[in-house]
Amino acid sequence: MKTARRKRSGQSAKVDDTALTTFSSDLLTPEEERELLTSFWDCKSELVRVLLRHYPNELRAVRPPLEPWPMAQFIREHCTEDRCDVIAVRRLRDRYVHYKHRLASANIRLAAHVAKRFRHHSLAYSDLLQEAVCGLMQAIDRFDVSHGTRLATYATWWIRQTLQIAVARQSHLVSLSPHHLQELGLLQQESEALAHGGKHLPSPQELASRTGSSLEHLTHLQTATRTPVSLNAVLDDDSDFKLTEAMPDTGTLVMQENNERQEALSFLMENLRPRERKVLDLRFGLTGNGTHSLRQIGHLLRISKERVRQIQNRALEKLKANAERVGWEPTLLLE
C-alpha cells in the first residue's frame, strides 16, 4: 500500500510539473488576463516576502519597494538556484515563471506583429522577433495591475522601443542611438517628399533646412549609415575586375620607404666616427638591438652620462648637416 501511494504521489508531482512548464499561445479574454495578472502580482509579492523571511540578514538591506519593476529585478538577482533549495521559494519561483511565460505566450502574436514593421532594416526577422520578445518580457515585469489599461497596449511601446534600440545598434557599422534612428527616418521622409514634389533629388542644404539640423551633423549622419561595400565586389558587370585589384598596396609602399630610409641612414653614418656610430646605434636601436638610456650606454662604454649626451648631439648635428648637403629632409631620418 505504501509503495502504491508513493507511486501515485510521484505521478501527481510529475503532472503538476508538466502543468507548470506547458505554455499555451491561446489568446486571453480581458477577464482571464486581469485574473492572470492579479495572480502574477500576488505571486511576485509573496516570493519577495518569502525570500526576505528566509534570508533576512542577506536581503534586508536590498529590500525592494512595492513596485513591479524593482521587485522583478530583486527576484532576478537574488532568487538563485541555491536559495531555491527551500521548498517554499522553489514553488513560488516555479509559479512566478509559469505566470510570466503564460502572459508572454498569449501576447507572442503582438511581438511578431510589431517586429514585422522593422523588416525593412538590415536585421533578420528572427533577430527582430527575439528582441521583440525581450521587450514583451520587460513589459510584463514593469506592468502595474492597478492601471486600467490592457497589457498589449502597455507592451506595444516597450516592444517598439526595444526594436528601435536593437536596430540602431546592429543595423549599421557605426552604433547609433534611437534618437539618431528617428532623425534618419525624418530625413528619409523629407527626402521622399522633396523628390515627389519637385521631381528632383534634394541637396544636403535643402534637407538641412527642412529638418532644422546643421549641414555638418547631416553629413556625419549620412556617412555613418552609408551602405558598406565588399572588397570582393565587381566594379563592372561586364568584367571580373574586383575592387581589391584597384586598391594600392600600402604594405609594399611602406616597406619600400623603410628600405630607402635605412639605405640613406647607412650612407650618412659612414661619415661618422666609430664611437659616434656606436652611441647612435645603442641610443636609437638602429641595428635592431633595442634602445638604451644614456646611463646604460655610459656604463657599456665606460664613460660618463654627460659625455654620452655630448657624443650623441655631435653625431646628430653631423647627420643633419650631411643630409642638408645632399638635399634630403633631416626629419626623414628620424621618423
Side-chain angles (χ1 to χ4, degrees):
M1 293 294 294
K2 292 183 179 180
T3 305
R5 290 176 182 174
R6 289 176 183 174
K7 289 183 179 180
R8 284 195 295 268
S9 61
Q11 291 176 355
S12 62
K14 291 182 180 179
V15 171
D16 293 338
D17 293 339
T18 304
L20 286 177
T21 56
T22 302
F23 308 114
S24 172
S25 59
D26 296 338
L27 297 178
L28 297 172
T29 62
E31 294 75 15
E32 291 175 342
E33 181 183 275
R34 176 65 58 178
E35 182 180 357
L36 188 58
L37 286 169
T38 304
S39 301
F40 179 64
W41 169 255
D42 295 339
C43 180
K44 180 190 292 187
S45 305
E46 184 64 22
L47 179 55
V48 171
R49 285 194 293 268
V50 170
L51 284 172
L52 293 172
R53 187 187 312 132
H54 284 84
Y55 304 97
N57 298 330
E58 303 175 22
L59 303 180
R60 185 176 298 171
V62 292
R63 183 189 186 100
L66 294 179
E67 298 177 2
W69 180 239
M71 293 172 65
Q73 289 180 312
F74 177 84
I75 293 173
R76 186 183 303 110
E77 295 176 3
H78 302 289
C79 188
T80 59
E81 292 295 332
D82 297 337
R83 289 172 179 156
C84 286
D85 292 339
V86 180
I87 297 177
V89 175
R90 185 174 66 252
R91 288 179 177 175
L92 286 172
R93 198 277 305 268
D94 292 342
R95 287 174 52 196
Y96 174 80
V97 172
H98 172 74
Y99 291 144
K100 184 176 180 179
H101 286 192
R102 179 66 184 94
L103 290 168
S105 300
N107 291 273
I108 193 68
R109 295 179 181 86
L110 172 65
H113 176 71
V114 178
K116 288 180 180 179
R117 303 176 184 176
F118 292 80
R119 284 186 299 181
H120 61 281
H121 296 282
S122 58
L123 283 181
Y125 179 69
S126 58
D127 295 335
L128 291 174
L129 183 58
Q130 184 176 2
E131 295 292 341
V133 172
C134 291
L136 174 62
M137 300 297 282
Q138 185 174 177
I140 294 173
D141 283 335
R142 292 178 177 271
F143 187 75
D144 193 344
V145 188
S146 60
H147 295 166
T149 60
R150 292 288 304 272
L151 175 61
T153 305
Y154 180 80
T156 301
W157 188 88
W158 284 102
I159 295 172
R160 188 184 297 115
Q161 186 194 49
T162 305
L163 288 170
Q164 288 177 350
I165 295 175
V167 168
R169 290 179 177 175
Q170 304 177 33
S171 61
H172 302 286
L173 291 178
V174 180
S175 180
L176 300 177
S177 64
H179 174 67
H180 288 151
L181 192 64
Q182 293 178 357
E183 288 185 343
L184 282 176
L186 179 60
L187 288 175
Q188 186 176 2
Q189 293 177 3
E190 295 294 339
S191 178
E192 292 177 355
L194 290 174
H196 290 304
K199 295 183 179 180
H200 72 281
L201 293 177
S203 63
Q205 291 79 4
E206 291 177 337
L207 285 177
S209 61
R210 287 289 296 268
T211 57
S213 57
S214 63
L215 183 60
E216 182 181 2
H217 176 70
L218 178 62
T219 304
H220 284 313
L221 196 60
Q222 291 178 338
T223 303
T225 57
R226 188 177 299 165
T227 304
V229 179
S230 174
L231 293 177
N232 294 324
V234 179
L235 296 180
D236 191 357
D237 295 337
D238 299 332
S239 64
D240 296 334
F241 192 73
K242 297 182 179 180
L243 183 60
T244 52
E245 300 176 7
M247 297 179 61
D249 189 358
T250 56
T252 304
L253 295 176
V254 172
M255 186 180 299
Q256 183 179 357
E257 291 178 358
N258 292 336
N259 292 336
E260 293 177 354
R261 186 180 295 113
Q262 188 66 31
E263 291 178 1
L265 185 60
S266 300
F267 173 76
L268 294 177
M269 289 190 67
E270 290 180 356
N271 298 324
L272 299 180
R273 295 178 181 179
R275 178 180 253 187
E276 293 173 343
R277 290 199 298 268
K278 183 69 173 177
V279 169
L280 292 183
D281 181 18
L282 293 173
R283 183 68 174 137
F284 301 104
L286 301 180
T287 58
N289 295 324
T291 60
H292 297 74
S293 63
L294 297 176
R295 188 182 301 277
Q296 291 174 340
I297 297 174
H299 180 72
L300 292 174
L301 300 182
R302 296 185 179 181
I303 56 178
S304 65
K305 174 174 132 180
E306 183 60 30
R307 180 57 181 159
V308 173
R309 182 184 289 107
Q310 294 175 0
I311 297 173
Q312 169 190 302
N313 294 338
R314 185 173 66 246
L316 291 177
E317 290 294 333
K318 287 184 179 180
L319 284 180
K320 181 179 179 181
N322 293 335
E324 291 177 351
R325 186 167 54 253
V326 179
W328 294 337
E329 290 290 337
T331 56
L332 180 66
L333 304 175
L334 302 177
E335 290 180 354

